[in-house]
Each structure stands twice: as structure tokens, then as C-alpha cells.
Amino acid sequence: MRVRVVAFAFLAAVATPASAQHSRGSHAPSPPQGGTAPAARPSWDPPKPDRTIEIAVTEAGFEPASVTARKGERIRLVVKRRTDKTCAREFILDEFLIWQRLPLNEAVTETFVAGRTGEFRFSCLAGTVSGIFTVVE
């Protein structure tokens, strides 16, 4: 039993980086010579969408039930469920890997690129409320 404890303590000391082993007298690294702080990294901003498409969920279903985009267009899709009298509590557009829950009266946003042409069905989870997302050349 004692051998295991000693072996564990030895492994812990070996696996710990040298900077973490010696906590006495250690200090933060000094700033570089010249008195200036390192340059801040530039922030990355995602590309802006080419167009925003808004879809509302009402008692009649998705409105509009048909939307069209151009191939390669960056779409900002905003879906808002405005009624509780619907089974459409999710928005699913499988082709573009979009699965979003739709809280009542809250806009849900998804940004994606319409990467291929065709007609793609969007729907609720049960598939009873649906629409068509068409991508053209």
C-alpha cells in the first residue's frame, strides 16, 4: 500500500509542470523591455449577411410559407412564433442543419449560406406545419 502512495506522489510531481511545482518565490513574468504591452489581437467579425428573411409562426402556419434565395447568398433567417395555438414550436430546415426551438414571442436567428440549389422543406418537429425554402442560381 505504501509503495502505491509513493509512486502516485512521484508521478504527480513528474507530471506537474516545473512552473507549477515551485510556488515559493515565483512571480509573474515581467513585461517586455521597452515598456509597452503586447499588441492586442485583432477581433474577428463574422461576415455580414447578404439578406435577412423573416418568418412568423401564426395560427395559419409559417408566414411566408415559401421563401427564395440565390445560391451562395448568406442568409440571416429570423423566425418568431407569435401564437401559442400552433404545434410549430420548432423550426427545422435539415438541408442547412438548422434545428431551433421557438419560444413564444422571441425572435430566433440563424445565419447560413444557401450553398446548393433546389427546393428544401422547413417544418415543425412533427412535420404538420411546413414551408418551402427555394434556392436558385
Side-chain angles (χ1 to χ4, degrees), residues 19-57:
S19 62
Q21 288 180 16
H22 304 289
S23 60
R24 273 190 219 167
S26 67
H27 60 285
S30 59
Q33 296 294 337
T36 60
R41 290 184 181 173
S43 63
W44 181 81
D45 291 328
K48 303 286 186 232
D50 297 322
R51 185 161 59 112
T52 297
I53 297 174
E54 294 182 6
I55 299 176
V57 179

